[in-house]
Structures are given as structure tokens and as C-alpha cells.
Amino acid sequence: MDFDIIVVGAGPAGLSAAIRCAQLAKENKKNITICILEKGAKVGAHIISGAVLEPHALDELIPDWKAEGAPLHTPVTHDQFLWLTKKRAIPLPVPPSMNNQGNTIISLGLLCEWLARYAENLGIQIFPGFAATEVLYQDDAVCGVATGDKGLDKEGRHTERYQAGIELYAKQTIFAEGCRGSLTQQLFQRFSLRRHCDPETYALGMKELWEVPEEFHREGLVVHTIGWPLNTNTYGGSFIYHLHKRWVALGLVIGLDYKNPYLNPYEEFQRFKTHPLIAPMLEKSKRLAYGARALNEGGIQAIPKLTFPGGLLVGCGAGFLNVPQMKGIHNAMKSGMLAADSVYPLVQHEGHQECVAYEARIKTSALWKELYRARNIRPAMKWGLWPGLLYSAMDAYMLRGCAPWTFHVRTEDAQSLQKANLSCSIAYPKHDHKISFDITSSLDLAHIHHPENQPCHLHLKNKDIPTQVNLRDYAAPETRYCPAGVYEILVDVCGNPALQINSANCVQCKACDIKDPMQNIIWVPPEGGSGPNYGVM
Ligand SMILES: Cc1cc2nc3c(=O)[nH]c(=O)nc-3n(C[C@H](O)[C@H](O)[C@H](O)COP(=O)(O)OP(=O)(O)OC[C@H]3O[C@@H](n4cnc5c(N)ncnc54)[C@H](O)[C@@H]3O)c2cc1C
Ligand code: SF4
């Protein structure tokens, strides 16, 4: 299949890029063909975010979004920033980066569904349920992507559902896969895109959506917390967003540079909900959804080269998240729009040129200035919570992001785990099944569809490493950092341990691809349409 432009990923970045391209074609009375591939069963199925939206990019892309019925229902009315101890919640001044006046609390999944309808009305073809699994090259230029085969069994044999993957060709391919995109990782290697930047670092975000009683609901309230249950050497914090319909989005984000292999992010999240600030609100409430996803934390220092012949990177695939704000949607959208402005002139010509104008546009944009000002906050947290907060306050109030220095992070998250024998094990409280839950019941609320019989999409480079290194040295950290219980160590009758991979549980958060200490796990997209079906997350 031939197109002018292919977009890989129907998140805010990919949808904005495609919409802007179609708008430019309409303005110039040209016909161009644009398609978007999305691995989720429908647009929004794999989308998970907080989310507080900074709406400027949306205003610019679709100025009449209100009249068009965009699902922005909950303007932020009030911000709180709290330091949690085990029993108390102590209010702190809201840092400028966490001031959300003028922003809106949304479900990003619903916004993406709406953007997809808008895109289709502009003539863009969207193919949900199709994962791009291979980059296609002509000479040394990207000339498109191929989707994965469907209907293979565990051994790779064709079943009666078999459908061969499709090759899609385009003059320009926009990669909008979000954080730790699998094809994006390959492009980094192929074109040495990360040669001049810091390594990307990440966090794992877990989120639940609850319906709470009227008396606990304060529509428009945005709460961020730091401190308990995390210790002062572990970067992270929580968010509590009161949407409309008595919905409350609760989440915990933990930096994946944590050191203790016994730390279990999922259990930290369950424990967080037992805090006296939160538990009373949840006791008579109903949990509606659960999910998890990695976020970028490297900031501007970790942004790679963005272009290569025939294609470019947008959104969190490139790493445009503003870490102190914990906001990436507006930058994902804006980068998609700048990519469209840069790519559109190229598709008027044949060939797979490198879109050099894009990087220049990004570097002179407000997005770049915003990331530049935010650049030192996250690296300063390496010193621990209190020194990090002190530096952040100085950076925000006195230096205003214009310090004459830039901090760098030189290590990848995979290298940060210390050995188990140097670490303290952590005892987590039992689940009460009212506020805190086991992974199995959480996964029911992620609505995962994943045929058991399909090939395993979690590839081990070396099958012995999980037991001979990870188990021996790090007490099998994959059994804890995976928020979906995919990895288990089973012991056979002779007492020999082996790693079992329950790939059908995978919520596609990418934490294992990032955190495995030996970088032995390679995440590849499973059959298109598999995985969670979030919808409203
Ligand atoms: C817990 C959490 C809370 C957050 N809170 C906020 C917030 O409050 N405000 C804010 O602004 N930002 C927030 N963010 C960040 C925000 O969600 C991201 O910055 C934003 O979603 C990035 O958009 P994107 O389009 O680059 O990627 P994504 O939103 O990740 O979208 C990528 C899309 O591409 C698809 N895809 C990926 N690979 C392929 C492939 N190979 N083939 C086909 N399809 C593919 C995926 O299924 C997905 O639909 C939060 C993130 C998390 C995880
Ligand atoms: S297997 Fe990996 S990508 Fe899937 S849920 Fe677990 S950590 Fe996330």
C-alpha cells in the first residue's frame, strides 16, 4: 500500500501530526494520502495518562474544539501539593510548575478517540489493530513500515486466523510510538540518533480510575503528593485528579532509577491508597479501571537527533515530556504539528528526503524553551528528596530555569539496581480487596485481550540470565517491577528455578524493556489488537 505519509501510533503526537498535514493539504487544495497505524484494538485502547491537559497546542490545532465537542469537561479549579508522612498530609506551597490554573482534567483515551474521528473527517485513514513491527528501508532511507502477521500460534505456525502482515510505503514516515517505542529503539541504533545526547531515563506510572461518593468529590481539584510510601532516595510521587461524573484518577509514578531490587512499584501503589488522606475516600467507592505505562524522564538532555532520511520522531518517542510538570500531551501534540509543517513540503516531491527543517523548528519553538527551563529539576533529585526539592525551589524561584549550568545523567535505569545482598527486603501489607488489590483483579480492569496461543512477544536474548544472574544477584527483580505479574520464578520438582513468562498479562508498559539489569528482555509488539483496552484512561 502506498501513501504520502504514514504515522505510526495514534496517540496525541501521531494524531496531531496527521491532522495538521491534512489541514495543510486542504489549505493548499492538494490531495495527499495519510494513514495512521495503531496497535491497540481501537484508538485509545492503549492510551493511559493522568491527565491534566495544558490546552495551548489543542487551541492551535483545532481552535473551535469546543464547538466540535472535544471531551474537555473539567477545568482545574484548585491545586494542592502535599508531603505525605505515614499518617499525615502536610501542605507545601504549590511549585510554579504544578500550577494548573487554565488547564483541564481529561481522559486522554477519550481525547484521542475524538481526535481520531476528527482526523477521519479530514480523510485520514486509521488502521487500529495493526502493530508496525518492521521498518522498511530503500538504500539507507526509511520508505515505510510493515505490520506484523496475525493468527500465528506459539510456535509461529499459521492458524485458521492467519493473515500476513502488510507492507506500507510512504515518502515520509512519522514515528509517534510514545515512550520507549519498539521501532524507535531500532531507529536509534540504525541511524545512531543517540550519539550526542544523555541516555533516556524513565519512570513507571500506575493509575486507577475510581467512582467516589458525592461527599468526597471535588470536581476540578488537582492534588500532587511527594514522600510516603516512597523513601527519600526513591524519586516519585502521586497524582489525584477529580474529574467530572464523580470520577477520581489516582496514580503513583516511580522513577525507574530506583536501586533496591526488592522495591515493588505495584505494591507501593496499593500501599499508597491506604494513607489516611486517601483511604476514607475509597472505602465506599468503586474501582473502574487499572493500567500502567512508562514515562520519559530524561528531559531535553536526552532528546536524540530527530530526523533521518525518510522519517522523523515526534512525541514521547523522542522524549518531549516536561518532567517537573509531569506533562507531555501538549508537547507531543506540538511536536506532531511542527513535524507536519516541516514534512508537508517534502511530500510534494518524490524520494525519501531527510526533513532537516523539523529539528530547526523544534529548537526555536516554545516547547524547546519550556524543556530547557525544566532541565535541571529531575537530575537534581539524584541527591535525594530534600536536597532535590531545595534545589528545585532555588531553580524555580531564583534562577527561573536559566542557571548557567546543566546537570547530566550518565547511567541508564537498567544499571541502577544494586545487588540483593546489599539491599533490604520490603514487607508489603496484605491486600484488603476494598482499597488494595492483587494483580489478577487489577488486570481484570485493564480488559486485556491477548490470545494465549500467540507467540511470546517478550524475547530473552539469553535464556539463562533470568536464573543465573537476575535471580542469583538481584532476587529476580522482574517478578516485582512488572506491574502486571508477567514474570514468575517457578521451581520444578528437583528444585531448579525457571522463569515463566505469562505474556498474556502484559499491559505494554515497557518497564521490563527498560529496567532489566542485563538488558536481556526485548519487548516487541504482540499481534495487533492485543493488550489492554483502556478506553477512558
Ligand atoms: C501515569 C501517567 C500520567 C501522566 N499524566 C500526564 C498529565 O497529567 N498531563 C500530561 O500532559 N501528560 C501526562 N502524561 C504523559 C502523557 O501521557 C504523554 O506525554 C503522552 O501520552 C505522549 O503522547 P504520544 O502520542 O507521544 O505517545 P502515547 O500517548 O504513548 O501514544 C502512542 C500510541 O502509539 C501506539 N503505538 C506504539 N507503538 C506502535 C507500533 N509499533 N505500531 C502501532 N501503534 C503503536 C500506542 O499504542 C499508542 O496508542 C502521563 C503519563 C503517564 C504514563
Ligand atoms: S511484561 Fe514488561 S511491558 Fe508487559 S506489563 Fe510487564 S513490565 Fe510492562
Side-chain angles (χ1 to χ4, degrees), residues 8-13 37-39 46-52 108 130-132 176-178 205 239 241 293 295 315-316 321 326-329 332:
V8 180
L37 295 173
E38 169 51 51
K39 66 180 164 55
H46 289 179
I47 295 289
I48 172 168
S49 190
V52 174
L108 184 59
F130 286 90
E177 294 182 286
F239 59 89
Y241 301 156
R293 179 82 171 96
L295 297 78
C316 279
L321 187 113
M326 209 187 73
K327 287 195 188 64
I329 302 168

Side-chain angles (χ1 to χ4, degrees), residues 458 481-484 486-487 505-513 523:
L458 300 151
Y481 61 62
C482 171
V486 167
Y487 301 100
N505 287 1
C506 178
V507 292
Q508 309 197 3
C509 73
K510 313 281 178 79
C512 52
D513 198 67
W523 189 98

Side-chain angles (χ1 to χ4, degrees), residues 84 197 208 258 271 281 289 293-294 308 352 358 385 391 407-408 425 427-428 442 446 473 483 490 517 520:
L84 299 189
C197 63
E208 291 178 354
Y258 69 81
R271 177 153 69 169
M281 174 174 81
R293 179 82 171 96
F308 37 86
H352 308 288
Y358 171 52
L385 179 65
Y391 178 84
F407 298 142
H408 291 275
S425 63
Y428 290 102
S442 293
D473 293 349
L490 300 183
N520 187 43

